[in-house]
Amino acid sequence: MSTPTTHDHATTTPTTSNKKKGVLAGIGIAAACALACSLPLIAAGGLAAGLGAFLAGGEAVALGVVVLVGALVGTGLWIRRRRRAAAVTACNTGCGCGGGC
């Protein structure tokens, strides 16, 4: 009779590369969160600066910026609406290409 072979299943500790990956992922998540949270504050600061320039006497510059930003936003919304309408009509279903109907 032969003796059965046994395997030593010792528990392993996480390697330093796994720890580094976790730390890097945590730093990336923290940076993304900080960026996402700062965007509304940056937009509000730009609005306040534009209002300040308007009240300080730079009416032409402030109105020009408002018109330019309004045109860019309007164009973006128009393009988005056209793309969405084209996607719906391309599928020939009433609910888009998701196939969830």
Side-chain angles (χ1 to χ4, degrees), residues 2-10:
S2 64
T3 59
T5 58
T6 59
H7 299 287
D8 186 19
H9 295 288

Side-chain angles (χ1 to χ4, degrees), residues 3-83:
T3 59
T5 58
T6 59
H7 299 287
D8 186 19
H9 295 288
T11 59
T12 59
T13 59
T15 61
T16 57
S17 65
N18 288 341
K19 289 180 184 178
K20 286 181 183 178
K21 288 179 185 177
V23 169
L24 290 176
I27 290 171
I29 290 170
C33 181
L35 178 68
C37 291
S38 68
L39 287 178
L41 298 176
I42 292 171
L47 182 64
L51 181 62
F54 184 75
L55 295 176
E59 293 94 9
V61 174
L63 289 176
V65 169
V66 168
V67 168
L68 179 66
V69 170
L72 288 174
V73 169
T75 303
L77 290 173
W78 178 70
I79 289 172
R80 182 177 171 193
R81 196 175 322 131
R82 287 193 59 197
R83 286 183 181 170

